[in-house]
Amino acid sequence: MPKPPTTTVLITGSGPTGLTLAIDLARRDIGVRIIDKSPQFPRSSRAKGPNPRSLEVLEDLGVIEQVLAAGSAPLPMRKYRGAEVIADTDPYAAARPTPDAPYDRPWLIAQWRLEEILRARLAEYGVRVELGAELVGLAQGDDSVTASLAGGREIEARYLVGCDGGHSAVRKLLGVPFEGKTDEEQMMVCGDVEAQGPDRGVWHQWFDGDGGVMLCPIPGTRSGWWFQAAPETDAAGSPVPPSLESFQRLFAKHTGRPGGLLSSATLLSTYRVNERMVDRYRVGRVFLAGDAAHVHAIAGGLGMNTGIQDAFNLGWKLAGVATGRAAPELLDTYEEERLPIAARTLDITAERLRATLEAIKEPGGGLDSAVTPQTYGLGDGYRWSSLAPAGGTARLRAGDRAPDAPCRDAATGAPRRLFETFAGPHFTLLGFGAGTAQALRDATAAHGDELRAHTVVRADGTDGPDETGGATGATGSAGGAAYGGLTDDGGRARSAYGIGPDEDDVLVLIRPDNHVGLIAPAGDHRAVAEYLKGAALERA
């Protein structure tokens, strides 16, 4: 028999989508390689940062502290007409963290800096991006995929994931259509510039009847700015390609300030509004993620974020199937869950673009019109999924994002958030109330290597003793597998999960991507085992 490939998953494209997937696989001890056709790592600022849901993903991956330190909170937006300041607006002024959602706003960070942080995390698992590796061919067999690279090299892997952007070579080699439209009239020239003079504490936005200019300071730089503008047109009415000289003229025209304040324009690009997506995320052993599967208007900043969340959905499923713990059909749920999210994202961004274009026609209008709770990513869930059986509480159903909540370690009293218990490549079983003890024991005995179980009890002790007469919330064990006790700090965990103070005890199973897999009565001991057997940990 032929030997299986030494590489389990080959990822093409080393942007945030590919790096997120590589980290998630590497921490599960899956043999992963990640390649990129670029000869060196890009210094592009591009996407302006992760939204609240992506920040939750980055916390799970273990890089949230570095991301927060390297970036900044979104800046107030200063809107002008010519040299006159019309309004200062902070679209997040009223936002506050809550016990169930600790990140109340996106985070401003250059994409190249985020990628540096993710690459460093990936290197901790012994995996590094292989540069100068351009994919030019694909061949699929029954048990593997062979990637042909420019120069004649080949890489054989069990699975391949295309995270290689809107011009995806993987998608083109698969022959997957990229249906949609390109609006040639909606165009923007972009680049990173050095600028002297503007206040770095605000995002400057000049709009008038002839277009506009936007300058946003790049965190972590002394004088670096993102420059965006409607392009100049030449005598024939054609857009003028981006350049420092063009940027200087645009700046002078719309701001009334000297164009010479701008210097050293780099990473120049022309952006056109593209709204396109694939009709499938999988062809055999090859998958698409991020911009390779969907592109849309930049309004709302959902491009990079949707890709990160694609990767987080796919990682645990690929790992489960690759290790033989899950049936191959689990991989079909990636497309089942993420394709509708891509379609919804196209609708949201198109609507936010329309709202923004209307807003900037009036003095005081600006990019704050693109910001709505829909762009936070916290409401995205998979209630329609085959992995979301019936059942729920007053607030949650299977498929929903799992909320955070402050708790305390029942044994030590130390603070411990639910997100801390979720973090890592495992399922989490929460047992609200001492009546869930037997289900927790059964689950840890059967799946202790892949599941962490916690009983969540009231701080006032009214849950009473568990079924064995042990102390409420104490750490238990079954067959050598331990489960922990959490004290519900102020009842906020029960509130977040929609479990009233007088309601019966409830089991909540959290998937590795921190979505609710199952909600069941405490006495339904078989529900968890049946879900895991059918969905993730044991092949049926």
Side-chain angles (χ1 to χ4, degrees):
M1 294 180 62
K3 296 177 65 175
T6 57
T7 298
T8 303
V9 180
L10 173 64
I11 300 169
T12 66
S14 63
T17 300
L19 290 168
T20 296
L21 180 59
I23 293 169
D24 199 25
L25 292 170
R27 68 178 179 170
R28 301 171 192 278
D29 295 322
I30 301 299
V32 60
R33 290 176 69 175
I34 178 168
I35 63 175
D36 198 292
K37 70 177 182 180
S38 298
Q40 58 190 13
F41 295 119
R43 192 70 174 179
S44 173
S45 300
R46 290 181 290 178
K48 289 187 174 64
N51 67 7
R53 176 56 185 156
S54 289
L55 289 171
E56 294 179 356
V57 172
L58 295 170
E59 178 178 349
D60 195 281
L61 296 180
V63 297
I64 190 63
E65 291 183 4
Q66 298 95 311
V67 170
L68 296 179
S72 74
L75 301 174
M77 299 179 183
R78 179 163 294 170
K79 276 78 71 73
Y80 302 78
R81 275 296 193 267
E84 181 183 1
V85 176
I86 301 297
D88 281 357
T89 304
D90 182 355
Y92 304 102
R96 297 289 185 276
T98 60
D100 62 327
Y103 305 106
D104 63 332
R105 63 197 64 206
W107 204 247
L108 200 62
I109 181 173
Q111 184 170 325
W112 60 263
R113 184 67 184 100
L114 176 61
E115 290 173 357
E116 281 185 343
I117 292 169
L118 292 173
R119 286 197 300 269
R121 180 61 168 162
L122 182 61
E124 293 177 14
Y125 298 102
V127 181
R128 287 175 169 79
V129 177
E130 302 171 42
L131 293 172
E134 181 179 4
L135 182 74
V136 296
L138 280 177
Q140 294 200 56
D142 292 337
D143 301 312
S144 66
V145 181
T146 300
S148 301
L149 308 182
R153 286 195 299 144
E154 291 186 342
I155 300 175
E156 188 180 17
R158 290 178 61 189
Y159 301 97
L160 185 146
V161 185
C163 305
D164 49 347
H167 299 288
S168 171
V170 174
R171 186 187 66 241
K172 293 173 183 177
L173 289 167
L174 291 174
V176 174
F178 206 34
E179 299 294 344
K181 63 181 181 178
T182 299
D183 189 340
E184 298 291 348
E185 300 299 319
Q186 292 297 333
M187 189 180 304
M188 187 164 58
V189 287
C190 313
D192 288 7
V193 301
E194 297 292 316
Q196 300 297 327
D199 180 357
R200 290 184 64 83
V202 295
W203 184 350
H204 302 271
Q205 301 170 19
W206 292 267
F207 294 108
D208 53 46
D210 295 325
V213 163
M214 293 161 281
L215 269 183
C216 183
I218 302 174
T221 66
R222 299 182 66 180
S223 56
W225 298 75
W226 286 293
F227 179 96
Q228 298 167 283
E232 294 182 294
T233 55
D234 59 21
S238 299
V240 174
S243 67
L244 173 60
E245 295 73 21
S246 178
F247 286 1
Q248 290 172 332
R249 291 192 297 268
L250 286 164
F251 185 76
K253 173 184 176 182
H254 293 290
T255 72
R257 303 185 183 194
L261 291 175
L262 305 186
S263 62
S264 183
T266 58
L267 304 169
L268 307 179
S269 63
T270 298
Y271 169 81
R272 292 174 174 81
V273 175
N274 280 294
E275 297 176 347
R276 298 180 182 275
M277 62 179 288
V278 297
D279 61 358
R280 55 192 183 277
Y281 272 37
R282 178 187 186 186
V283 178
R285 291 179 168 269
V286 182
F287 301 81
L288 298 170
D291 287 355
H294 44 74
V295 294
H296 40 76
I298 60 175
L302 292 176
M304 177 188 74
N305 289 290
T306 307
I308 287 173
Q309 292 152 37
D310 282 346
F312 204 50
N313 182 283
L314 179 59
W316 69 276
K317 298 173 181 178
L318 266 176
V321 175
T323 56
R325 294 182 180 273
E329 290 75 17
L330 179 63
L331 295 175
D332 293 332
T333 68
Y334 169 57
E335 176 181 303
E336 178 189 3
E337 295 184 339
R338 293 306 296 174
L339 192 62
I341 295 293
R344 179 173 177 269
T345 299
L346 261 67
D347 290 341
I348 292 171
T349 54
E351 193 277 330
R352 288 296 89 204
L353 177 62
R354 287 192 294 270
T356 302
L357 292 175
E358 284 298 314
I360 63 177
K361 292 178 182 178
E362 301 296 331
L367 300 189
D368 50 305
S369 299
V371 178
T372 74
Q374 290 178 310
T375 63
Y376 289 22
L378 299 177
D380 290 341
Y382 314 120
R383 290 186 175 188
W384 60 83
S385 172
S386 57
L387 297 181
T393 68
R395 186 171 180 180
L396 285 183
R397 282 179 52 191
D400 290 348
R401 162 194 166 271
D404 195 9
C407 295
R408 292 188 177 274
D409 186 287
T412 67
R416 186 168 176 80
R417 293 163 54 218
L418 287 185
F419 276 4
E420 293 179 87
T421 71
F422 300 164
H426 56 261
F427 280 76
T428 304
L429 180 61
L430 300 178
F432 286 89
T436 63
Q438 184 61 51
L440 268 61
R441 283 193 290 269
D442 291 347
T444 51
H447 304 291
D449 291 340
E450 299 291 333
L451 179 139
R452 304 291 182 267
H454 302 270
T455 179
V456 184
V457 297
R458 296 181 179 92
D460 61 8
T462 56
D463 285 309
D466 68 20
E467 295 176 5
T468 63
T472 297
T475 299
S477 63
Y483 64 89
L486 296 172
T487 302
D488 188 356
D489 194 349
R492 285 174 286 191
R494 276 185 171 261
S495 175
Y497 282 75
I499 305 168
D502 299 323
E503 292 188 54
D504 293 336
D505 296 345
V506 174
L507 293 165
V508 182
L509 181 66
I510 311 300
R511 301 174 0 174
D513 59 354
N514 299 349
H515 283 262
V516 176
L518 175 74
I519 299 174
D524 192 355
H525 296 174
R526 295 182 179 179
V528 175
E530 290 175 354
Y531 185 94
L532 295 176
K533 182 176 182 179
L537 297 186
E538 291 182 353
R539 297 186 62 161

